Amino acid sequence: MISRADMALLAVSLLWGGTFVVVKEALRDVSTFLFLALRFTLAAGVLALALGRRIGAQGTLVDGLRLEWRGGAACAGLLFLGYALQTAGLTLTTASKSAFLTALYIVLVPLLASFVNESRPRPVEVAGILLAACGTALLTAASGGWQAQSWDLNRGDMLTILSALAFAGHILAVAHYSRRMAYERLALYQIGGVAVFSWLARKPMEPPRIVWSAGA
């Protein structure tokens, strides 16, 4: 029987998968970091309103305010890095390739967890990594076939692969801190943190640009 947690993750997958096409369209009219700043500022505001008094609930907090700030900063930093690399990569590659390459975080999570925990990955995890590598090779191969020179792994693809690594680290960070503090606050801290990082990176990284179109 499918649990509520499984259904929630399935819903996230459906929503997140749809954003690749939408974001690709929006990036025609807005620069990467300004887009992220606006996107996550709006998200943080909506999340704060939706959670309301639940933000102040103590939940499972055990180490006080210092742990909250440390957890929020760690998760926000990794999430910002993942979205910054993914969104920048999406301007240089297709939405379908971006979605697939980003999903490499699924097999990178157990691999990274094994490294952090100093343990060997299970055979099924190794098999998943190899299958994902084959899928990446098929997706990034040009129409010329399997010759090495026909592969088309461009700069956008490389940025997206790096974003998958950042997302894998983010999942491990969330798994660690969500057991030690109220998940409502952790969610708000990381979404708000991405907004702050995006505003800070808006000018140093690129000239801000936006056209208030329907697509944007």
Side-chain angles (χ1 to χ4, degrees):
M1 186 174 181
I2 300 179
S3 66
R4 286 181 61 188
D6 293 332
M7 291 300 296
L9 290 172
L10 178 61
V12 168
S13 299
L14 291 172
L15 290 169
W16 196 28
T19 64
F20 287 91
V21 177
V22 177
V23 172
K24 179 71 173 178
E25 178 70 21
L27 288 173
R28 296 177 180 177
D29 298 318
V30 58
S31 54
T32 300
F33 289 95
L34 178 57
F35 174 76
L36 289 174
L38 293 170
R39 176 184 185 181
F40 280 89
T41 299
L42 178 61
V46 172
L47 186 60
L49 290 173
L51 292 176
R53 295 181 180 178
R54 295 168 64 186
I55 299 173
Q58 287 300 309
T60 58
L61 182 64
V62 294
D63 291 331
L65 190 60
R66 184 181 299 177
L67 181 140
E68 286 204 343
W69 284 110
R70 186 167 65 245
C75 293
L78 287 166
L79 189 62
F80 167 74
L81 186 60
Y83 270 107
L85 290 167
Q86 182 203 63
T87 308
L90 191 56
T91 63
L92 302 170
T93 190
T94 63
S96 58
K97 286 175 71 175
S98 177
F100 181 88
L101 294 173
T102 300
L104 289 176
Y105 76 87
I106 296 170
V107 293
L108 288 174
V109 167
L111 187 64
L112 193 58
S114 297
F115 176 78
V116 171
N117 299 326
E118 297 182 351
S119 60
R120 291 183 178 180
R122 295 179 298 166
V124 66
E125 294 169 348
V126 174
I129 293 167
L130 292 174
L131 286 172
C134 291
T136 304
L138 285 170
L139 190 67
T140 56
S143 58
W146 277 96
Q147 295 84 359
Q149 65 270 22
S150 69
W151 287 16
D152 186 23
L153 197 65
N154 63 29
R155 182 165 171 261
D157 298 332
M158 293 301 299
L159 289 173
T160 309
I161 291 172
L162 290 175
S163 81
L165 183 61
F167 282 128
H170 171 255
I171 289 175
L172 292 180
V174 169
H176 176 76
Y177 287 106
S178 61
R179 300 188 185 100
R180 293 163 172 79
M181 60 183 287
Y183 75 87
E184 294 94 343
R185 285 200 298 273
L186 179 59
L188 183 60
Y189 290 168
Q190 62 181 325
I191 297 300
V194 174
V196 171
F197 289 143
S198 299
W199 283 113
L200 292 175
R202 176 176 54 100
K203 287 187 176 180
M205 296 300 294
E206 62 183 350
R209 172 187 61 86
I210 188 168
V211 177
W212 294 103
S213 63

PDB file of all heavy atoms in Angstrom, residues 144-162:
ATOM      1  N   GLY A 144      24.846  11.019 -34.792  1.00  0.00           N
ATOM      2  CA  GLY A 144      25.845  10.278 -35.548  1.00  0.00           C
ATOM      3  C   GLY A 144      26.110   8.880 -35.042  1.00  0.00           C
ATOM      4  O   GLY A 144      26.787   8.112 -35.694  1.00  0.00           O
ATOM      5  N   GLY A 145      25.597   8.546 -33.845  1.00  0.00           N
ATOM      6  CA  GLY A 145      25.795   7.198 -33.320  1.00  0.00           C
ATOM      7  C   GLY A 145      26.621   7.192 -32.063  1.00  0.00           C
ATOM      8  O   GLY A 145      26.649   8.165 -31.317  1.00  0.00           O
ATOM      9  N   TRP A 146      27.309   6.085 -31.828  1.00  0.00           N
ATOM     10  CA  TRP A 146      28.008   5.888 -30.573  1.00  0.00           C
ATOM     11  C   TRP A 146      29.472   6.317 -30.618  1.00  0.00           C
ATOM     12  O   TRP A 146      30.190   6.150 -29.653  1.00  0.00           O
ATOM     13  CB  TRP A 146      27.929   4.418 -30.168  1.00  0.00           C
ATOM     14  CG  TRP A 146      26.648   4.100 -29.481  1.00  0.00           C
ATOM     15  CD1 TRP A 146      25.533   3.572 -30.042  1.00  0.00           C
ATOM     16  CD2 TRP A 146      26.347   4.296 -28.101  1.00  0.00           C
ATOM     17  NE1 TRP A 146      24.552   3.436 -29.102  1.00  0.00           N
ATOM     18  CE2 TRP A 146      25.024   3.857 -27.904  1.00  0.00           C
ATOM     19  CE3 TRP A 146      27.069   4.803 -27.017  1.00  0.00           C
ATOM     20  CZ2 TRP A 146      24.409   3.907 -26.668  1.00  0.00           C
ATOM     21  CZ3 TRP A 146      26.448   4.843 -25.780  1.00  0.00           C
ATOM     22  CH2 TRP A 146      25.145   4.411 -25.613  1.00  0.00           C
ATOM     23  N   GLN A 147      29.942   6.847 -31.739  1.00  0.00           N
ATOM     24  CA  GLN A 147      31.323   7.283 -31.786  1.00  0.00           C
ATOM     25  C   GLN A 147      31.549   8.390 -30.761  1.00  0.00           C
ATOM     26  O   GLN A 147      30.687   9.220 -30.522  1.00  0.00           O
ATOM     27  CB  GLN A 147      31.678   7.818 -33.190  1.00  0.00           C
ATOM     28  CG  GLN A 147      31.631   6.763 -34.284  1.00  0.00           C
ATOM     29  CD  GLN A 147      30.227   6.571 -34.831  1.00  0.00           C
ATOM     30  OE1 GLN A 147      29.306   7.223 -34.378  1.00  0.00           O
ATOM     31  NE2 GLN A 147      30.081   5.676 -35.776  1.00  0.00           N
ATOM     32  N   ALA A 148      32.749   8.375 -30.162  1.00  0.00           N
ATOM     33  CA  ALA A 148      33.043   9.341 -29.096  1.00  0.00           C
ATOM     34  C   ALA A 148      32.870  10.775 -29.578  1.00  0.00           C
ATOM     35  O   ALA A 148      32.400  11.637 -28.857  1.00  0.00           O
ATOM     36  CB  ALA A 148      34.457   9.120 -28.565  1.00  0.00           C
ATOM     37  N   GLN A 149      33.249  11.016 -30.848  1.00  0.00           N
ATOM     38  CA  GLN A 149      33.197  12.377 -31.339  1.00  0.00           C
ATOM     39  C   GLN A 149      31.764  12.851 -31.580  1.00  0.00           C
ATOM     40  O   GLN A 149      31.538  14.034 -31.815  1.00  0.00           O
ATOM     41  CB  GLN A 149      34.014  12.528 -32.635  1.00  0.00           C
ATOM     42  CG  GLN A 149      33.484  11.742 -33.835  1.00  0.00           C
ATOM     43  CD  GLN A 149      34.100  10.345 -33.895  1.00  0.00           C
ATOM     44  OE1 GLN A 149      34.580   9.841 -32.875  1.00  0.00           O
ATOM     45  NE2 GLN A 149      34.113   9.741 -35.053  1.00  0.00           N
ATOM     46  N   SER A 150      30.788  11.924 -31.542  1.00  0.00           N
ATOM     47  CA  SER A 150      29.407  12.326 -31.791  1.00  0.00           C
ATOM     48  C   SER A 150      28.689  12.743 -30.514  1.00  0.00           C
ATOM     49  O   SER A 150      27.576  13.230 -30.576  1.00  0.00           O
ATOM     50  CB  SER A 150      28.635  11.165 -32.445  1.00  0.00           C
ATOM     51  OG  SER A 150      28.444  10.113 -31.525  1.00  0.00           O
ATOM     52  N   TRP A 151      29.302  12.557 -29.358  1.00  0.00           N
ATOM     53  CA  TRP A 151      28.642  12.920 -28.118  1.00  0.00           C
ATOM     54  C   TRP A 151      28.568  14.430 -27.988  1.00  0.00           C
ATOM     55  O   TRP A 151      29.478  15.152 -28.369  1.00  0.00           O
ATOM     56  CB  TRP A 151      29.381  12.316 -26.926  1.00  0.00           C
ATOM     57  CG  TRP A 151      29.184  10.834 -26.817  1.00  0.00           C
ATOM     58  CD1 TRP A 151      28.720   9.991 -27.783  1.00  0.00           C
ATOM     59  CD2 TRP A 151      29.446  10.016 -25.675  1.00  0.00           C
ATOM     60  NE1 TRP A 151      28.679   8.706 -27.320  1.00  0.00           N
ATOM     61  CE2 TRP A 151      29.121   8.682 -26.030  1.00  0.00           C
ATOM     62  CE3 TRP A 151      29.931  10.283 -24.389  1.00  0.00           C
ATOM     63  CZ2 TRP A 151      29.257   7.626 -25.138  1.00  0.00           C
ATOM     64  CZ3 TRP A 151      30.063   9.229 -23.508  1.00  0.00           C
ATOM     65  CH2 TRP A 151      29.723   7.916 -23.869  1.00  0.00           C
ATOM     66  N   ASP A 152      27.469  14.897 -27.440  1.00  0.00           N
ATOM     67  CA  ASP A 152      27.194  16.329 -27.394  1.00  0.00           C
ATOM     68  C   ASP A 152      26.896  16.747 -25.955  1.00  0.00           C
ATOM     69  O   ASP A 152      25.780  17.108 -25.620  1.00  0.00           O
ATOM     70  CB  ASP A 152      26.008  16.649 -28.316  1.00  0.00           C
ATOM     71  CG  ASP A 152      25.761  18.147 -28.416  1.00  0.00           C
ATOM     72  OD1 ASP A 152      26.703  18.909 -28.160  1.00  0.00           O
ATOM     73  OD2 ASP A 152      24.625  18.544 -28.715  1.00  0.00           O
ATOM     74  N   LEU A 153      27.897  16.658 -25.097  1.00  0.00           N
ATOM     75  CA  LEU A 153      27.758  17.070 -23.703  1.00  0.00           C
ATOM     76  C   LEU A 153      28.239  18.510 -23.613  1.00  0.00           C
ATOM     77  O   LEU A 153      29.430  18.784 -23.462  1.00  0.00           O
ATOM     78  CB  LEU A 153      28.594  16.159 -22.801  1.00  0.00           C
ATOM     79  CG  LEU A 153      28.265  16.164 -21.302  1.00  0.00           C
ATOM     80  CD1 LEU A 153      26.856  15.619 -21.056  1.00  0.00           C
ATOM     81  CD2 LEU A 153      29.280  15.350 -20.528  1.00  0.00           C
ATOM     82  N   ASN A 154      27.320  19.453 -23.725  1.00  0.00           N
ATOM     83  CA  ASN A 154      27.714  20.855 -23.793  1.00  0.00           C
ATOM     84  C   ASN A 154      27.842  21.461 -22.395  1.00  0.00           C
ATOM     85  O   ASN A 154      27.670  20.792 -21.375  1.00  0.00           O
ATOM     86  CB  ASN A 154      26.715  21.645 -24.664  1.00  0.00           C
ATOM     87  CG  ASN A 154      25.311  21.646 -24.079  1.00  0.00           C
ATOM     88  OD1 ASN A 154      25.121  21.570 -22.868  1.00  0.00           O
ATOM     89  ND2 ASN A 154      24.321  21.752 -24.948  1.00  0.00           N
ATOM     90  N   ARG A 155      28.143  22.748 -22.362  1.00  0.00           N
ATOM     91  CA  ARG A 155      28.373  23.430 -21.080  1.00  0.00           C
ATOM     92  C   ARG A 155      27.120  23.420 -20.212  1.00  0.00           C
ATOM     93  O   ARG A 155      27.199  23.273 -18.993  1.00  0.00           O
ATOM     94  CB  ARG A 155      28.812  24.875 -21.360  1.00  0.00           C
ATOM     95  CG  ARG A 155      29.127  25.685 -20.120  1.00  0.00           C
ATOM     96  CD  ARG A 155      29.884  26.934 -20.490  1.00  0.00           C
ATOM     97  NE  ARG A 155      30.017  27.844 -19.352  1.00  0.00           N
ATOM     98  CZ  ARG A 155      29.237  28.901 -19.147  1.00  0.00           C
ATOM     99  NH1 ARG A 155      28.284  29.191 -20.032  1.00  0.00           N
ATOM    100  NH2 ARG A 155      29.425  29.684 -18.102  1.00  0.00           N
ATOM    101  N   GLY A 156      25.961  23.550 -20.838  1.00  0.00           N
ATOM    102  CA  GLY A 156      24.719  23.495 -20.088  1.00  0.00           C
ATOM    103  C   GLY A 156      24.502  22.138 -19.444  1.00  0.00           C
ATOM    104  O   GLY A 156      24.023  22.048 -18.302  1.00  0.00           O
ATOM    105  N   ASP A 157      24.854  21.068 -20.160  1.00  0.00           N
ATOM    106  CA  ASP A 157      24.731  19.719 -19.597  1.00  0.00           C
ATOM    107  C   ASP A 157      25.656  19.548 -18.402  1.00  0.00           C
ATOM    108  O   ASP A 157      25.285  18.947 -17.385  1.00  0.00           O
ATOM    109  CB  ASP A 157      25.060  18.668 -20.661  1.00  0.00           C
ATOM    110  CG  ASP A 157      24.110  18.715 -21.846  1.00  0.00           C
ATOM    111  OD1 ASP A 157      22.954  19.132 -21.660  1.00  0.00           O
ATOM    112  OD2 ASP A 157      24.536  18.357 -22.955  1.00  0.00           O
ATOM    113  N   MET A 158      26.884  20.057 -18.505  1.00  0.00           N
ATOM    114  CA  MET A 158      27.845  19.929 -17.412  1.00  0.00           C
ATOM    115  C   MET A 158      27.375  20.694 -16.178  1.00  0.00           C
ATOM    116  O   MET A 158      27.487  20.203 -15.046  1.00  0.00           O
ATOM    117  CB  MET A 158      29.222  20.434 -17.854  1.00  0.00           C
ATOM    118  CG  MET A 158      29.880  19.580 -18.918  1.00  0.00           C
ATOM    119  SD  MET A 158      30.114  17.856 -18.384  1.00  0.00           S
ATOM    120  CE  MET A 158      31.197  18.090 -16.970  1.00  0.00           C
ATOM    121  N   LEU A 159      26.831  21.887 -16.381  1.00  0.00           N
ATOM    122  CA  LEU A 159      26.290  22.648 -15.259  1.00  0.00           C
ATOM    123  C   LEU A 159      25.141  21.898 -14.600  1.00  0.00           C
ATOM    124  O   LEU A 159      25.006  21.888 -13.367  1.00  0.00           O
ATOM    125  CB  LEU A 159      25.810  24.021 -15.744  1.00  0.00           C
ATOM    126  CG  LEU A 159      26.887  25.024 -16.151  1.00  0.00           C
ATOM    127  CD1 LEU A 159      26.256  26.264 -16.770  1.00  0.00           C
ATOM    128  CD2 LEU A 159      27.741  25.417 -14.952  1.00  0.00           C
ATOM    129  N   THR A 160      24.316  21.246 -15.407  1.00  0.00           N
ATOM    130  CA  THR A 160      23.183  20.503 -14.879  1.00  0.00           C
ATOM    131  C   THR A 160      23.631  19.274 -14.084  1.00  0.00           C
ATOM    132  O   THR A 160      23.047  18.938 -13.051  1.00  0.00           O
ATOM    133  CB  THR A 160      22.246  20.078 -16.022  1.00  0.00           C
ATOM    134  OG1 THR A 160      21.926  21.214 -16.827  1.00  0.00           O
ATOM    135  CG2 THR A 160      20.945  19.502 -15.473  1.00  0.00           C
ATOM    136  N   ILE A 161      24.665  18.595 -14.552  1.00  0.00           N
ATOM    137  CA  ILE A 161      25.210  17.451 -13.814  1.00  0.00           C
ATOM    138  C   ILE A 161      25.759  17.908 -12.457  1.00  0.00           C
ATOM    139  O   ILE A 161      25.554  17.239 -11.431  1.00  0.00           O
ATOM    140  CB  ILE A 161      26.293  16.745 -14.641  1.00  0.00           C
ATOM    141  CG1 ILE A 161      25.656  16.054 -15.859  1.00  0.00           C
ATOM    142  CG2 ILE A 161      27.046  15.713 -13.802  1.00  0.00           C
ATOM    143  CD1 ILE A 161      26.652  15.489 -16.845  1.00  0.00           C
ATOM    144  N   LEU A 162      26.431  19.058 -12.436  1.00  0.00           N
ATOM    145  CA  LEU A 162      26.918  19.602 -11.169  1.00  0.00           C
ATOM    146  C   LEU A 162      25.747  19.959 -10.252  1.00  0.00           C
ATOM    147  O   LEU A 162      25.832  19.796  -9.024  1.00  0.00           O
ATOM    148  CB  LEU A 162      27.789  20.831 -11.419  1.00  0.00           C
ATOM    149  CG  LEU A 162      29.149  20.574 -12.076  1.00  0.00           C
ATOM    150  CD1 LEU A 162      29.846  21.899 -12.384  1.00  0.00           C
ATOM    151  CD2 LEU A 162      30.023  19.718 -11.167  1.00  0.00           C
TER     152      LEU A 162
END
